Protein backbone atom coordinates (compact mmCIF):
# COMPACT_ATOMS: atom_id res chain seq x y z
CA UNK A 1 0.00 0.00 0.00
CA UNK A 2 1.30 3.43 -0.97
CA UNK A 3 1.73 5.66 2.12
CA UNK A 4 1.93 9.40 2.38
CA UNK A 5 5.26 10.81 1.24
CA UNK A 6 6.59 11.16 4.78
CA UNK A 7 9.23 8.59 5.55
CA UNK A 8 10.30 7.83 9.11
CA UNK A 9 12.78 4.99 9.58
CA UNK A 10 13.74 3.10 12.70
CA UNK A 11 16.60 0.61 12.64
CA UNK A 12 16.39 -2.92 13.96
CA UNK A 13 19.54 -4.64 15.24
CA UNK A 14 18.16 -8.15 15.70
CA UNK A 15 20.10 -9.61 12.78
CA UNK A 16 23.70 -9.31 11.69
CA UNK A 17 24.00 -9.77 7.96
CA UNK A 18 27.29 -10.78 6.39
CA UNK A 19 28.75 -11.39 2.95
CA UNK A 20 32.20 -12.23 1.52
CA UNK A 21 32.44 -8.86 -0.24
CA UNK A 22 33.31 -6.25 2.39
CA UNK A 23 33.01 -3.03 0.47
CA UNK A 24 29.96 -1.31 -0.96
CA UNK A 25 30.19 0.85 -4.04
CA UNK A 26 29.54 3.90 -1.83
CA UNK A 27 32.36 2.90 0.49
CA UNK A 28 34.64 2.30 -2.48
CA UNK A 29 33.76 5.78 -3.75
CA UNK A 30 35.06 7.12 -0.43
CA UNK A 31 38.27 5.18 -1.02
CA UNK A 32 38.72 6.95 -4.37
CA UNK A 33 38.88 10.29 -2.55
CA UNK A 34 41.06 8.79 0.18
CA UNK A 35 43.54 7.67 -2.47
CA UNK A 36 43.51 11.14 -4.03
CA UNK A 37 44.30 12.66 -0.61
CA UNK A 38 47.17 10.19 -0.13
CA UNK A 39 48.59 11.07 -3.54
CA UNK A 40 48.56 14.76 -2.56
CA UNK A 41 50.26 13.86 0.73
CA UNK A 42 52.86 11.86 -1.19
CA UNK A 43 53.55 14.84 -3.48
CA UNK A 44 54.05 17.08 -0.44
CA UNK A 45 56.49 14.54 1.00
CA UNK A 46 58.43 14.43 -2.28
CA UNK A 47 58.54 18.25 -2.35
CA UNK A 48 59.83 18.30 1.24
CA UNK A 49 62.48 15.70 0.41
CA UNK A 50 63.56 17.67 -2.65
CA UNK A 51 63.73 20.89 -0.59
CA UNK A 52 65.86 19.13 2.01
CA UNK A 53 68.12 17.65 -0.66
CA UNK A 54 68.53 21.07 -2.30
CA UNK A 55 69.63 22.53 1.03
CA UNK A 56 72.14 19.72 1.59
CA UNK A 57 73.46 20.16 -1.97
CA UNK A 58 73.92 23.88 -1.35
CA UNK A 59 75.92 23.11 1.79
CA UNK A 60 78.00 20.54 -0.04
CA UNK A 61 78.80 22.87 -2.95
CA UNK A 62 79.78 25.73 -0.61
CA UNK A 63 81.98 23.51 1.52
CA UNK A 64 83.51 21.87 -1.52
CA UNK A 65 84.76 25.23 -2.77
CA UNK A 66 85.96 26.19 0.71
CA UNK A 67 87.86 22.93 1.42
CA UNK A 68 89.57 23.01 -1.97
CA UNK A 69 91.00 26.42 -1.10
CA UNK A 70 91.92 25.50 2.47
CA UNK A 71 93.73 22.29 1.56
CA UNK A 72 95.98 23.98 -1.00
CA UNK A 73 97.92 25.69 1.83
CA UNK A 74 96.50 24.73 5.22
CA UNK A 75 99.02 26.72 7.28
CA UNK A 76 98.66 29.81 5.14
CA UNK A 77 94.86 29.47 5.27
CA UNK A 78 94.82 29.22 9.06
CA UNK A 79 97.31 32.09 9.37
CA UNK A 80 94.36 34.37 8.83
CA UNK A 81 92.53 34.66 12.16
CA UNK A 82 89.10 34.93 10.49
CA UNK A 83 89.61 31.57 8.71
CA UNK A 84 90.67 29.98 11.99
CA UNK A 85 87.53 31.31 13.71
CA UNK A 86 85.24 30.19 10.90
CA UNK A 87 86.74 26.69 10.91
CA UNK A 88 86.02 26.39 14.63
CA UNK A 89 82.50 27.75 14.09
CA UNK A 90 81.76 25.43 11.18
CA UNK A 91 82.88 22.31 12.96
CA UNK A 92 81.23 23.23 16.25
CA UNK A 93 77.95 24.72 15.02
CA UNK A 94 77.33 24.56 11.31
CA UNK A 95 78.15 20.88 10.79
CA UNK A 96 75.85 20.09 13.70
CA UNK A 97 73.11 22.07 11.98
CA UNK A 98 73.77 20.16 8.78
CA UNK A 99 73.60 16.89 10.71
CA UNK A 100 70.21 17.95 12.12
CA UNK A 101 69.01 18.81 8.62
CA UNK A 102 70.04 15.41 7.28
CA UNK A 103 68.36 13.67 10.21
CA UNK A 104 65.07 15.47 9.59
CA UNK A 105 62.42 13.05 8.28
CA UNK A 106 59.90 14.75 5.95
CA UNK A 107 58.04 11.44 5.71
CA UNK A 108 56.44 11.91 9.15
CA UNK A 109 53.41 13.76 7.74
CA UNK A 110 52.88 11.20 4.99
CA UNK A 111 53.27 8.24 7.36
CA UNK A 112 50.86 9.86 9.82
CA UNK A 113 48.30 10.36 7.04
CA UNK A 114 48.72 6.74 5.94
CA UNK A 115 48.22 5.53 9.50
CA UNK A 116 44.96 7.47 9.85
CA UNK A 117 43.51 6.10 6.60
CA UNK A 118 44.88 2.57 6.79
CA UNK A 119 42.08 1.44 9.12
CA UNK A 120 39.63 1.98 6.26
CA UNK A 121 41.73 0.17 3.64
CA UNK A 122 40.46 -3.09 2.15
CA UNK A 123 42.22 -6.21 3.43
CA UNK A 124 43.42 -9.42 1.81
CA UNK A 125 39.93 -10.92 1.95
CA UNK A 126 38.52 -7.88 0.14
CA UNK A 127 41.12 -8.18 -2.62
CA UNK A 128 40.40 -11.89 -2.96
CA UNK A 129 36.66 -11.19 -2.99
CA UNK A 130 37.09 -8.60 -5.76
CA UNK A 131 39.11 -11.08 -7.83
CA UNK A 132 36.45 -13.74 -7.35
CA UNK A 133 33.81 -11.19 -8.37
CA UNK A 134 35.57 -10.72 -11.72
CA UNK A 135 35.70 -14.49 -12.21
CA UNK A 136 32.01 -14.74 -11.30
CA UNK A 137 31.17 -12.13 -13.93
CA UNK A 138 33.43 -13.90 -16.40
CA UNK A 139 31.50 -17.15 -15.95
CA UNK A 140 27.97 -15.74 -15.79
CA UNK A 141 28.24 -13.42 -18.79
CA UNK A 142 30.75 -15.53 -20.78
CA UNK A 143 33.41 -12.83 -20.92
CA UNK A 144 36.94 -13.92 -21.77
CA UNK A 145 40.02 -12.74 -19.91
CA UNK A 146 41.04 -10.59 -22.88
CA UNK A 147 37.81 -8.57 -22.56
CA UNK A 148 38.50 -7.89 -18.91
CA UNK A 149 42.17 -7.12 -19.44
CA UNK A 150 41.31 -4.59 -22.15
CA UNK A 151 38.34 -3.16 -20.25
CA UNK A 152 35.87 -4.18 -22.96
CA UNK A 153 32.72 -4.57 -20.89
CA UNK A 154 29.17 -3.79 -22.02
CA UNK A 155 27.86 -0.46 -20.80
CA UNK A 156 31.24 0.75 -19.59
CA UNK A 157 32.26 4.35 -20.29
CA UNK A 158 35.56 4.35 -18.38
CA UNK A 159 38.69 2.65 -19.62
CA UNK A 160 40.34 0.25 -17.20
CA UNK A 161 43.00 -2.26 -18.17
CA UNK A 162 44.67 -5.14 -16.37
CA UNK A 163 48.45 -5.34 -16.63
CA UNK A 164 50.49 -8.52 -16.92
CA UNK A 165 51.02 -8.46 -13.17
CA UNK A 166 47.30 -7.89 -12.53
CA UNK A 167 46.43 -10.95 -14.62
CA UNK A 168 49.12 -12.97 -12.85
CA UNK A 169 47.69 -11.99 -9.46
CA UNK A 170 44.18 -12.96 -10.63
CA UNK A 171 45.51 -16.35 -11.71
CA UNK A 172 47.40 -16.82 -8.46
CA UNK A 173 44.27 -16.04 -6.43
CA UNK A 174 42.40 -18.76 -8.31
CA UNK A 175 45.34 -21.18 -7.99
CA UNK A 176 45.53 -20.70 -4.22
CA UNK A 177 41.84 -21.64 -4.05
CA UNK A 178 42.55 -24.80 -6.12
CA UNK A 179 40.44 -23.19 -8.87
CA UNK A 180 42.62 -24.37 -11.75
CA UNK A 181 39.98 -23.53 -14.36
CA UNK A 182 40.28 -19.80 -13.72
CA UNK A 183 44.00 -20.06 -12.93
CA UNK A 184 44.54 -21.30 -16.50
CA UNK A 185 42.49 -18.48 -18.04
CA UNK A 186 44.30 -15.70 -16.18
CA UNK A 187 47.84 -17.12 -16.35
CA UNK A 188 47.30 -17.61 -20.07
CA UNK A 189 46.23 -13.97 -20.38
CA UNK A 190 49.31 -12.86 -18.44
CA UNK A 191 51.48 -14.94 -20.80
CA UNK A 192 49.69 -13.55 -23.86
CA UNK A 193 50.34 -9.96 -22.79
CA UNK A 194 53.90 -10.84 -21.80
CA UNK A 195 54.55 -12.36 -25.25
CA UNK A 196 53.23 -9.09 -26.69
CA UNK A 197 56.16 -7.42 -24.86
CA UNK A 198 54.05 -5.52 -22.34
CA UNK A 199 55.86 -4.27 -19.26
CA UNK A 200 55.86 -6.61 -16.28
CA UNK A 201 57.54 -7.32 -12.96
CA UNK A 202 56.66 -11.00 -12.64
CA UNK A 203 58.94 -13.39 -14.52
CA UNK A 204 57.79 -15.50 -17.45
CA UNK A 205 59.12 -18.55 -15.61
CA UNK A 206 56.70 -17.94 -12.73
CA UNK A 207 53.77 -17.58 -15.11
CA UNK A 208 54.68 -20.77 -16.99
CA UNK A 209 55.16 -22.62 -13.70
CA UNK A 210 51.61 -21.86 -12.51
CA UNK A 211 50.10 -22.25 -15.96
CA UNK A 212 51.66 -25.62 -16.78
CA UNK A 213 50.60 -27.18 -13.48
CA UNK A 214 47.07 -25.74 -13.73
CA UNK A 215 46.74 -27.11 -17.26
CA UNK A 216 47.87 -30.51 -15.95
CA UNK A 217 45.18 -30.28 -13.26
CA UNK A 218 42.63 -29.66 -16.03
CA UNK A 219 43.69 -32.98 -17.58
CA UNK A 220 45.52 -31.61 -20.65
CA UNK A 221 48.85 -33.48 -20.45
CA UNK A 222 50.14 -32.65 -23.95
CA UNK A 223 49.76 -28.94 -23.37
CA UNK A 224 51.18 -29.23 -19.84
CA UNK A 225 54.27 -30.90 -21.34
CA UNK A 226 54.64 -28.20 -24.01
CA UNK A 227 54.38 -25.39 -21.44
CA UNK A 228 56.81 -27.13 -19.06
CA UNK A 229 59.33 -27.48 -21.90
CA UNK A 230 59.05 -23.74 -22.46
CA UNK A 231 59.74 -23.25 -18.76
CA UNK A 232 62.82 -25.51 -18.85
CA UNK A 233 64.12 -23.66 -21.92
CA UNK A 234 63.87 -20.36 -20.01
CA UNK A 235 65.22 -21.66 -16.69
CA UNK A 236 66.95 -25.05 -16.88
CA UNK A 237 67.72 -24.94 -13.15
CA UNK A 238 64.11 -24.37 -12.11
CA UNK A 239 63.32 -26.18 -8.87
CA UNK A 240 60.28 -28.12 -10.14
CA UNK A 241 60.26 -27.88 -13.91
CA UNK A 242 62.55 -30.84 -14.69
CA UNK A 243 60.79 -33.19 -12.30
CA UNK A 244 57.35 -32.09 -13.50
CA UNK A 245 58.33 -32.60 -17.13
CA UNK A 246 59.55 -36.15 -16.51
CA UNK A 247 56.41 -36.93 -14.51
CA UNK A 248 54.06 -35.52 -17.16
CA UNK A 249 55.85 -37.38 -19.99
CA UNK A 250 55.77 -40.65 -18.05
CA UNK A 251 52.08 -40.19 -17.25
CA UNK A 252 51.20 -39.43 -20.87
CA UNK A 253 53.21 -42.42 -22.09
CA UNK A 254 51.31 -44.65 -19.68
CA UNK A 255 47.97 -43.29 -20.89
CA UNK A 256 48.93 -43.83 -24.53
CA UNK A 257 50.03 -47.43 -23.81
CA UNK A 258 46.70 -48.12 -22.14
CA UNK A 259 44.99 -46.82 -25.29
CA UNK A 260 47.34 -48.85 -27.53
CA UNK A 261 48.63 -45.68 -29.19
CA UNK A 262 52.20 -45.07 -30.24
CA UNK A 263 54.05 -41.79 -29.96
CA UNK A 264 53.28 -38.73 -27.91
CA UNK A 265 50.11 -36.90 -28.68
CA UNK A 266 51.11 -33.42 -29.91
CA UNK A 267 49.89 -30.39 -28.01
CA UNK A 268 47.20 -28.42 -29.81
CA UNK A 269 48.25 -25.20 -31.52
CA UNK A 270 45.03 -23.46 -30.45
CA UNK A 271 45.57 -20.84 -27.72
CA UNK A 272 43.82 -21.38 -24.41
CA UNK A 273 40.67 -19.30 -24.19
CA UNK A 274 37.18 -19.31 -22.70
CA UNK A 275 35.64 -22.64 -23.71
CA UNK A 276 38.92 -24.54 -24.17
CA UNK A 277 38.24 -26.40 -20.92
CA UNK A 278 34.91 -27.25 -19.35
CA UNK A 279 34.23 -25.49 -16.09
CA UNK A 280 33.95 -28.09 -13.31
CA UNK A 281 30.48 -28.75 -11.92
CA UNK A 282 29.70 -27.38 -8.50
CA UNK A 283 27.00 -27.56 -5.84
CA UNK A 284 24.36 -25.70 -7.88
CA UNK A 285 22.42 -28.06 -10.20
CA UNK A 286 20.72 -25.30 -12.20
CA UNK A 287 23.79 -23.10 -12.62
CA UNK A 288 23.78 -23.18 -16.44
CA UNK A 289 20.08 -22.31 -16.62
CA UNK A 290 20.49 -19.56 -14.00
CA UNK A 291 23.47 -17.99 -15.77
CA UNK A 292 21.80 -18.23 -19.19
CA UNK A 293 18.81 -16.29 -17.83
CA UNK A 294 21.21 -13.69 -16.42
CA UNK A 295 22.55 -13.25 -19.96
CA UNK A 296 19.02 -12.85 -21.30
CA UNK A 297 19.00 -16.33 -22.84
CA UNK A 298 16.38 -19.03 -22.32
CA UNK A 299 13.49 -16.77 -21.27
CA UNK A 300 10.34 -18.82 -21.87
CA UNK A 301 7.71 -16.10 -22.30
CA UNK A 302 6.15 -16.78 -25.72
CA UNK A 303 4.31 -14.16 -27.78
CA UNK A 304 0.99 -15.90 -27.07
CA UNK A 305 1.58 -15.87 -23.32
CA UNK A 306 2.77 -12.26 -23.44
CA UNK A 307 -0.52 -11.27 -25.06
CA UNK A 308 -2.27 -12.36 -21.86
CA UNK A 309 -0.30 -9.96 -19.68
CA UNK A 310 -2.07 -6.74 -18.70
CA UNK A 311 -1.57 -3.50 -16.85
CA UNK A 312 -4.13 -1.96 -14.52
CA UNK A 313 -4.71 0.52 -11.69
CA UNK A 314 -4.85 -0.98 -8.20
CA UNK A 315 -6.67 0.82 -5.38
CA UNK A 316 -6.05 -1.72 -2.62
CA UNK A 317 -9.70 -2.77 -2.43
CA UNK A 318 -10.91 0.84 -2.14
CA UNK A 319 -8.19 1.89 0.29
CA UNK A 320 -8.76 5.62 0.98
CA UNK A 321 -5.09 6.46 0.36
CA UNK A 322 -5.18 4.87 -3.09
CA UNK A 323 -8.53 6.09 -4.38
CA UNK A 324 -7.11 9.35 -5.75
CA UNK A 325 -3.70 7.93 -6.64
CA UNK A 326 -4.00 4.21 -7.34
CA UNK A 327 -0.92 2.06 -7.87
CA UNK A 328 0.05 1.23 -11.45
CA UNK A 329 0.29 -2.55 -11.69
CA UNK A 330 1.79 -4.49 -14.62
CA UNK A 331 1.89 -8.25 -15.16
CA UNK A 332 5.45 -9.55 -15.49
CA UNK A 333 4.58 -13.25 -15.61
CA UNK A 334 1.39 -15.29 -15.82
CA UNK A 335 2.04 -18.44 -13.77
CA UNK A 336 3.17 -18.09 -11.12
CA UNK A 337 1.72 -14.62 -11.17
CA UNK A 338 4.37 -11.90 -10.82
CA UNK A 339 3.41 -8.23 -10.96
CA UNK A 340 5.39 -5.01 -11.00
CA UNK A 341 4.20 -1.78 -9.33
CA UNK A 342 5.35 1.48 -10.85
CA UNK A 343 6.28 4.52 -8.71
CA UNK A 344 6.31 2.35 -5.60
CA UNK A 345 8.95 4.60 -4.04
CA UNK A 346 9.81 8.20 -4.90
CA UNK A 347 13.38 9.35 -5.52
CA UNK A 348 13.23 11.28 -2.25
CA UNK A 349 12.16 8.20 -0.30
CA UNK A 350 14.85 6.08 -1.95
CA UNK A 351 17.61 8.54 -1.11
CA UNK A 352 16.41 8.80 2.50
CA UNK A 353 16.33 5.01 2.88
CA UNK A 354 19.83 4.70 1.41
CA UNK A 355 21.14 7.54 3.59
CA UNK A 356 19.86 5.86 6.75
CA UNK A 357 20.85 2.36 5.69
CA UNK A 358 24.46 2.97 4.57
CA UNK A 359 26.01 3.37 8.05
CA UNK A 360 24.31 0.20 9.27
CA UNK A 361 24.87 -2.10 6.32
CA UNK A 362 26.58 -5.38 7.24
CA UNK A 363 27.44 -8.54 5.38
CA UNK A 364 24.44 -10.65 4.33
CA UNK A 365 23.58 -14.04 5.80
CA UNK A 366 21.39 -17.01 4.94
CA UNK A 367 19.52 -19.37 7.24
CA UNK A 368 21.08 -22.81 7.63
CA UNK A 369 18.39 -25.32 6.51
CA UNK A 370 19.42 -27.81 9.21
CA UNK A 371 20.02 -25.64 12.26
CA UNK A 372 17.87 -22.66 11.32
CA UNK A 373 20.72 -20.36 12.39
CA UNK A 374 21.78 -17.36 10.30
CA UNK A 375 25.16 -18.09 8.76
CA UNK A 376 27.43 -16.62 6.10
CA UNK A 377 27.41 -18.02 2.58
CA UNK A 378 29.72 -17.43 -0.35
CA UNK A 379 26.85 -17.52 -2.82
CA UNK A 380 25.17 -14.46 -1.29
CA UNK A 381 27.23 -11.39 -2.04
CA UNK A 382 25.48 -8.25 -0.89
CA UNK A 383 25.13 -5.98 2.11
CA UNK A 384 21.91 -5.80 4.08
CA UNK A 385 20.25 -3.74 6.78
CA UNK A 386 16.81 -4.33 8.35
CA UNK A 387 14.72 -1.16 8.79
CA UNK A 388 11.18 -0.24 9.74
CA UNK A 389 9.25 2.67 8.21
CA UNK A 390 5.80 4.24 8.04
CA UNK A 391 5.23 1.88 5.14
CA UNK A 392 4.20 -0.48 7.97
CA UNK A 393 6.78 -2.89 6.62
CA UNK A 394 9.85 -4.44 8.19
CA UNK A 395 12.33 -4.23 5.35
CA UNK A 396 15.81 -5.37 4.58
CA UNK A 397 17.97 -3.09 2.49
CA UNK A 398 20.52 -4.73 0.22
CA UNK A 399 23.26 -3.22 -1.90
CA UNK A 400 24.87 -5.36 -4.58
CA UNK A 401 28.11 -3.88 -5.89
CA UNK A 402 29.94 -5.11 -8.98
CA UNK A 403 29.84 -8.92 -8.91
CA UNK A 404 27.22 -8.86 -6.13
CA UNK A 405 24.72 -11.69 -6.42
CA UNK A 406 22.42 -14.10 -4.60
CA UNK A 407 22.35 -17.57 -6.12
CA UNK A 408 19.08 -19.56 -6.55
CA UNK A 409 17.14 -19.87 -3.30
CA UNK A 410 13.64 -20.02 -1.82
CA UNK A 411 12.17 -17.19 0.22
CA UNK A 412 9.90 -19.56 2.16
CA UNK A 413 10.99 -22.27 4.60
CA UNK A 414 10.63 -25.82 3.39
CA UNK A 415 9.33 -28.85 5.30
CA UNK A 416 12.89 -29.85 6.23
CA UNK A 417 13.35 -26.55 8.11
CA UNK A 418 10.07 -26.19 10.07
CA UNK A 419 11.51 -23.95 12.80
CA UNK A 420 12.99 -21.29 10.50
CA UNK A 421 10.60 -18.55 11.66
CA UNK A 422 9.57 -20.02 15.01
CA UNK A 423 11.20 -17.27 17.07
CA UNK A 424 9.44 -14.59 15.02
CA UNK A 425 6.00 -16.10 15.61
CA UNK A 426 4.87 -14.88 12.19
CA UNK A 427 4.46 -18.06 10.22
CA UNK A 428 6.06 -18.79 6.89
CA UNK A 429 6.85 -16.19 4.21
CA UNK A 430 3.61 -15.95 2.29
CA UNK A 431 4.79 -13.45 -0.33
CA UNK A 432 7.72 -11.31 -1.41
CA UNK A 433 7.58 -7.57 -2.16
CA UNK A 434 10.87 -6.49 -3.74
CA UNK A 435 11.59 -2.78 -4.28
CA UNK A 436 14.22 -1.77 -6.84
CA UNK A 437 15.91 1.40 -5.63
CA UNK A 438 18.33 1.89 -8.52
CA UNK A 439 18.75 1.26 -12.21
CA UNK A 440 21.58 -1.09 -13.17
CA UNK A 441 23.62 -0.50 -16.32
CA UNK A 442 24.29 -4.19 -16.94
CA UNK A 443 23.39 -7.39 -15.09
CA UNK A 444 21.54 -7.61 -11.80
CA UNK A 445 18.31 -9.21 -13.04
CA UNK A 446 16.05 -11.28 -10.76
CA UNK A 447 15.65 -14.66 -12.48
CA UNK A 448 13.48 -17.73 -11.91
CA UNK A 449 15.25 -20.82 -13.34
CA UNK A 450 12.24 -23.14 -12.94
CA UNK A 451 10.01 -21.32 -15.42
CA UNK A 452 12.51 -19.11 -17.26
CA UNK A 453 11.62 -15.58 -16.15
CA UNK A 454 14.01 -12.63 -15.95
CA UNK A 455 12.88 -9.45 -14.17
CA UNK A 456 15.13 -6.43 -14.66
CA UNK A 457 15.70 -3.71 -12.05
CA UNK A 458 13.96 -0.40 -12.67
CA UNK A 459 14.36 2.36 -10.10
CA UNK A 460 11.22 3.15 -8.10
CA UNK A 461 9.36 -0.02 -9.10
CA UNK A 462 8.55 -3.09 -7.00
CA UNK A 463 7.72 -6.69 -7.92
CA UNK A 464 5.42 -8.99 -5.97
CA UNK A 465 4.79 -12.73 -5.98
CA UNK A 466 3.32 -15.37 -3.68
CA UNK A 467 5.72 -17.95 -2.24
CA UNK A 468 2.96 -20.20 -0.85
CA UNK A 469 -0.16 -21.70 -2.35
CA UNK A 470 -3.47 -21.06 -0.57
CA UNK A 471 -3.05 -24.46 1.06
CA UNK A 472 0.08 -23.18 2.81
CA UNK A 473 2.33 -25.44 0.76
CA UNK A 474 5.41 -23.85 -0.76
CA UNK A 475 5.42 -23.00 -4.46
CA UNK A 476 8.76 -24.50 -5.48
CA UNK A 477 8.58 -22.75 -8.83
CA UNK A 478 9.46 -19.48 -7.06
CA UNK A 479 13.10 -20.47 -6.50
CA UNK A 480 14.90 -17.37 -7.75
CA UNK A 481 18.25 -15.62 -7.89
CA UNK A 482 19.81 -12.16 -8.08
CA UNK A 483 22.20 -12.14 -11.03
CA UNK A 484 25.68 -10.65 -10.56
CA UNK A 485 25.88 -6.93 -11.18
CA UNK A 486 28.15 -6.47 -14.22
CA UNK A 487 28.20 -2.68 -14.36
CA UNK A 488 26.79 -0.33 -11.72
CA UNK A 489 25.31 -0.77 -8.26
CA UNK A 490 22.02 -2.41 -7.36
CA UNK A 491 19.96 -1.25 -4.38
CA UNK A 492 16.88 -3.21 -3.31
CA UNK A 493 14.63 -3.41 -0.28
CA UNK A 494 12.92 -6.67 0.60
CA UNK A 495 9.63 -7.07 2.40
CA UNK A 496 8.63 -10.62 3.20
CA UNK A 497 4.94 -10.82 4.05
CA UNK A 498 4.35 -13.62 6.56
CA UNK A 499 1.24 -15.73 7.06
CA UNK A 500 0.26 -14.20 10.41
CA UNK A 501 -2.12 -11.29 9.88
CA UNK A 502 -3.01 -12.18 6.28
CA UNK A 503 -5.84 -14.64 7.06
CA UNK A 504 -8.59 -12.38 5.71
CA UNK A 505 -6.64 -10.82 2.88
CA UNK A 506 -5.80 -14.24 1.42
CA UNK A 507 -7.95 -16.96 2.97
CA UNK A 508 -6.56 -20.47 3.08
CA UNK A 509 -7.62 -23.11 0.57
CA UNK A 510 -7.39 -26.89 0.38
CA UNK A 511 -5.61 -27.20 -2.96
CA UNK A 512 -2.22 -26.08 -4.27
CA UNK A 513 -3.73 -23.40 -6.48
CA UNK A 514 -2.99 -19.65 -6.57
Amino acid sequence: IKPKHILRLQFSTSHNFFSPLNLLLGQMTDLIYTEKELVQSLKEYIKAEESKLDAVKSWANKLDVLTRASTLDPEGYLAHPVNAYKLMKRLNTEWSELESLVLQDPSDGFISNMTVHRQYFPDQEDEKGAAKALMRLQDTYKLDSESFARGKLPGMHHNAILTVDDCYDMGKTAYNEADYYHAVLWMQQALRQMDAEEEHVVSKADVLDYLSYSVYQMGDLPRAIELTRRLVAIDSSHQRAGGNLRYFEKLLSKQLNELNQEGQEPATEEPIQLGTYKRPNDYLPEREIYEALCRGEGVKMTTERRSRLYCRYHDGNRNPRLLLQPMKEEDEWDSPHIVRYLNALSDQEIEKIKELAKPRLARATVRDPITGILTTANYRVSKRNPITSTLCLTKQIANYGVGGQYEPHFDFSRKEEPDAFKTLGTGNRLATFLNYMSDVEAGGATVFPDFGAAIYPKKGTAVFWYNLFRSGEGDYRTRHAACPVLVGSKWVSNKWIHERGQEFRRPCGLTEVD
Side-chain angles (χ1 to χ4, degrees), residues 342-451:
L342 307 186
N343 305 319
L345 287 174
S346 68
D347 288 349
Q348 182 181 3
E349 288 171 330
I350 288 172
E351 291 309 309
K352 189 62 178 179
I353 291 172
K354 288 163 66 174
E355 176 190 339
L356 292 170
K358 281 179 181 179
R360 299 291 295 272
L361 285 164
R363 289 178 166 187
T365 60
V366 295
R367 193 172 296 279
D368 188 292
I370 299 175
T371 65
I373 298 173
L374 290 170
T375 57
T376 62
N378 288 333
Y379 55 83
R380 187 176 200 172
V381 185
S382 69
K383 289 227 172 177
R384 294 183 165 262
N385 180 41
I387 67 171
T388 306
S389 77
T390 53
L391 294 170
C392 299
L393 306 175
T394 299
K395 289 190 172 187
Q396 286 185 344
I397 311 303
N399 177 217
Y400 298 81
V402 174
Q405 64 164 5
Y406 190 179
E407 290 183 347
H409 62 282
F410 299 102
D411 277 356
F412 63 90
S413 65
R414 277 78 67 208
K415 291 180 179 178
E416 60 269 21
E417 43 181 8
D419 296 331
F421 305 112
K422 184 177 181 179
T423 57
L424 296 178
T426 56
N428 209 343
R429 289 173 177 168
L430 174 66
T432 296
F433 190 81
L434 177 63
N435 284 282
Y436 293 117
M437 300 195 298
S438 65
D439 294 313
V440 180
E441 288 91 329
T446 303
V447 298
F448 295 78
D450 184 84
F451 51 90

Side-chain angles (χ1 to χ4, degrees), residues 63 70 78 93 134 192 204 269 284 291 326 359 379 507:
L63 292 170
S70 65
L78 291 173
T93 304
L134 288 188
R192 183 182 294 118
K204 183 174 286 189
E269 296 294 327
L284 195 62
E291 291 181 345
Y379 55 83

Side-chain angles (χ1 to χ4, degrees), residues 479-496:
R479 183 172 167 87
H480 60 287
C483 295
V485 174
L486 180 57
V487 180
S489 177
K490 176 183 173 184
W491 283 87
V492 299
S493 63
N494 270 325
K495 163 60 187 174
W496 291 296

Side-chain angles (χ1 to χ4, degrees), residues 218-268:
M218 294 304 297
D220 190 347
L221 275 172
R223 197 189 296 266
I225 291 170
E226 183 268 332
L227 289 167
T228 309
R229 285 174 177 167
R230 282 186 65 181
L231 173 55
V232 171
I234 292 174
D235 184 1
S236 58
S237 62
H238 192 277
Q239 185 178 359
R240 292 175 298 277
N244 284 353
L245 181 58
R246 289 188 294 274
Y247 175 74
F248 294 159
E249 289 176 337
K250 182 179 179 180
L251 198 58
L252 180 60
S253 177
K254 180 181 177 182
Q255 289 182 2
L256 293 175
N257 288 335
E258 290 174 353
L259 296 172
N260 295 320
Q261 295 182 13
E262 294 183 1
Q264 180 174 308
E265 184 179 339
T268 175

Side-chain angles (χ1 to χ4, degrees), residues 1 22 83 108 157 167 199 210 218 227 241 243 256 307 323 381 395 417 435 489:
I1 296 174
N22 274 338
N83 286 340
D108 288 347
H157 307 293
C167 294
E199 291 184 4
Y210 281 102
M218 294 304 297
L227 289 167
L256 293 175
S307 68
L323 286 177
V381 185
K395 289 190 172 187
E417 43 181 8
N435 284 282
S489 177

